[in-house]
Amino acid sequence: MEYSLFCHHFYALSVSPVKKKLGLLFIMLLLWVYMLYSCVGYCATMPPSLVVDNNNNNRAKETDFLGKYAEAESGRPDLMMSKLLSRPQSSWTDVESDYDEPAVRRAPRDFSKDEADADRAEEWDDGRRVSPLSSFSNGSGNKKMPQAIIIGVKKGGTRALLEFLRVHPDIRAVGAEPHFFDRNYDNGLDWYRDLMPKTLEGQITMEKTPSYFVTREAPARIYAMSRNTKLIVVVRDPVTRAISDYTQTLSKKPDIPTFESLTFKNRTTGLIDTSWSAIQIGIYAKHLDNWLQFFPMSQILFVSGERLISDPAGELGRVQDFLGLKRIITDKHFYFNQTKGFPCLKKAEGSSKPHCLGKTKGRTHPNIDPEVVQRLRDFYRPFNMKFYQMTGHNFGWD
């Protein structure tokens, strides 16, 4: 009898409307807390607005393409670093800064717009979203200085490489280009660190800003942050790269002069105009010489932009080895998009669907006079040979 009475009371409580409402409210509260935490985690990984420093004026043209600073030659890179960290830029090697103020710097020649603008506006074809699970995990960990940086080159395939690498669970990267070591250095390292996503123990923080490779001060500044930073450079046939650079600018400013007219100082004599940034960037040996004053070749990995298209898994394998990570990104992550003409991800970060880079990538190049192309190949050949010697790798551009 007592047992039956106990069961009756227990049953009455279990089906009580009050209990049901309390249980429902408890579940809703848990869901609300989860959603709030996820949103906080996601927002914590978003960089604040980038502040562009436009104080680097009065560029002086440098004529010694492969010269070195006297301090470096005398075995005192610390002296050169202190000068580079404090002084305003004085070399044409920061060619990407041309895109900041075309009305101020070489106004007749500055037709390009900064690649970062395209990157900030660029979206994946289907408007990729970050999954709630990824957002939830983003709320933990700490913000750290990047241990690896993709420093170049513009129109070489840096955006594709970064998005491919973000598939790896042990890599966390900033989406937008911080431009810290070339434009925003006065904002300080704390500002820079705050741009970084949170990482857990064992994860690598990365960023990419292609203009670093051609910025004179960048090596000294990165060295001052951490001499152990690993550097990645995506390089591409400099002639094809220059045409791609021009194509991007042409898409934004259709009224610019032809590629042929911009290439030469004098078409009759065939003198190449190295004041044009599209030409300057491709003199890789010149820019690399600057970096080798601070970093050994063992800390710099050169990724072939051509192989990144023809064999993305192979190049990504080299990058993962260089970063000391397990080879998780393999052939199974890629498929070749015939329409775009380059590989795409079967599954991108935070999504279960295939993804390709947006419409700003893979533009059709304009037809360029074959004679101009050959003149450019002749111009770049000695610089390419020097670059092959410096890196110990023949990229097959000639």
Side-chain angles (χ1 to χ4, degrees), residues 28-311:
M28 292 176 64
L29 179 63
L30 288 178
L31 289 173
W32 182 82
V33 171
Y34 170 77
M35 292 175 64
L36 178 63
Y37 185 74
S38 297
C39 290
V40 170
Y42 176 70
C43 293
T45 64
M46 296 298 291
S49 299
L50 300 183
V51 179
V52 178
D53 181 7
N54 291 325
N55 293 326
N56 294 329
N57 295 325
N58 302 321
R59 303 303 201 244
K61 185 175 181 181
E62 180 176 351
T63 57
D64 181 10
F65 287 151
L66 296 176
K68 298 181 180 180
Y69 279 80
E71 292 90 344
E73 291 177 344
S74 62
R76 293 297 305 278
D78 55 323
L79 291 178
M80 181 165 69
M81 180 175 69
S82 63
K83 290 185 178 182
L84 290 177
L85 287 173
S86 59
R87 74 184 183 188
Q89 193 138 314
S90 60
S91 170
W92 61 258
T93 48
D94 183 11
V95 294
E96 296 237 346
S97 64
D98 298 342
Y99 309 140
D100 293 343
E101 297 173 5
V104 177
R105 302 191 190 95
R106 297 201 301 269
R109 308 294 299 172
D110 292 336
F111 304 104
S112 300
K113 186 176 181 181
D114 182 62
E115 186 184 48
D117 294 337
D119 284 330
R120 283 192 290 269
E122 179 179 319
E123 297 179 355
W124 290 68
D125 284 349
D126 64 346
R128 182 178 63 177
R129 298 291 185 268
V130 178
S131 68
L133 183 59
S134 176
S135 298
F136 182 79
S137 64
N138 288 347
S140 56
N142 299 302
K143 292 187 176 185
K144 304 174 184 177
M145 296 296 185
Q147 297 102 310
I149 303 176
I150 300 175
I151 60 173
V153 298
K154 181 186 178 187
K155 307 311 295 180
T158 58
R159 172 57 56 183
L161 177 62
L162 183 70
E163 296 302 333
F164 293 164
L165 286 174
R166 291 173 76 174
V167 173
H168 200 294
D170 290 333
I171 292 178
R172 298 297 313 283
V174 181
E177 295 173 4
H179 282 280
F180 175 66
F181 295 105
D182 57 349
R183 303 177 190 170
N184 298 308
Y185 195 66
D186 289 342
N187 290 337
L189 287 171
D190 289 340
W191 178 89
Y192 183 52
R193 182 191 291 109
D194 195 50
L195 299 179
M196 300 300 130
K198 290 183 178 180
T199 54
L200 302 174
E201 188 68 27
Q203 289 183 320
I204 292 177
T205 302
M206 290 188 67
E207 71 116 316
K208 78 107 176 170
T209 303
S211 54
Y212 290 162
F213 187 63
V214 295
T215 299
R216 172 63 68 178
E217 294 94 344
R221 291 171 173 177
I222 294 177
Y223 182 89
M225 177 190 71
S226 173
R227 65 182 64 186
N228 298 317
T229 305
K230 294 186 176 182
L231 310 171
I232 301 174
V233 189
V234 187
V235 289
R236 183 184 183 186
D237 181 341
V239 177
T240 308
R241 197 221 66 81
I243 297 173
S244 180
D245 197 334
Y246 174 80
T247 302
Q248 174 175 297
T249 306
L250 185 65
S251 69
K252 296 177 174 63
K253 300 181 179 180
D255 58 341
I256 64 172
T258 64
F259 181 87
E260 290 83 353
S261 63
L262 292 170
T263 298
F264 297 101
K265 283 186 177 180
N266 188 313
R267 179 73 181 270
T268 303
T269 61
L271 183 63
I272 303 296
D273 190 352
T274 56
S275 69
W276 186 26
S277 60
I279 301 296
Q280 294 175 22
I281 293 174
I283 308 176
Y284 301 141
K286 157 66 183 168
H287 307 305
L288 176 58
D289 193 62
N290 186 35
W291 288 89
L292 292 179
Q293 308 309 313
F294 295 91
F295 294 93
M297 193 66 76
S298 60
Q299 276 179 240
I300 308 175
L301 177 69
F302 294 91
V303 175
S304 167
E306 287 82 11
R307 283 181 55 83
L308 196 59
I309 294 176
S310 63
D311 181 21

Side-chain angles (χ1 to χ4, degrees), residues 15-32:
V15 297
S16 171
V18 176
K19 292 289 185 180
K20 286 184 177 180
K21 291 181 179 180
L22 289 175
L24 184 60
L25 287 173
F26 180 72
I27 294 173
M28 292 176 64
L29 179 63
L30 288 178
L31 289 173
W32 182 82

Side-chain angles (χ1 to χ4, degrees), residues 290-360:
N290 186 35
W291 288 89
L292 292 179
Q293 308 309 313
F294 295 91
F295 294 93
M297 193 66 76
S298 60
Q299 276 179 240
I300 308 175
L301 177 69
F302 294 91
V303 175
S304 167
E306 287 82 11
R307 283 181 55 83
L308 196 59
I309 294 176
S310 63
D311 181 21
E315 287 301 281
L316 265 293
R318 293 180 59 240
V319 177
Q320 291 171 95
D321 292 344
F322 175 70
L323 296 176
L325 299 175
K326 182 179 179 181
R327 286 199 176 195
I328 291 179
I329 307 172
T330 61
D331 284 322
K332 67 181 182 180
H333 289 91
F334 301 98
Y335 75 95
F336 191 84
N337 187 301
Q338 297 292 342
T339 302
K340 288 183 173 291
F342 52 75
C344 301
L345 288 170
K346 291 181 179 178
K347 292 183 179 181
E349 180 196 31
S351 175
S352 60
K353 298 179 180 179
H355 299 281
C356 280
L357 289 174
K359 61 183 180 180
T360 63

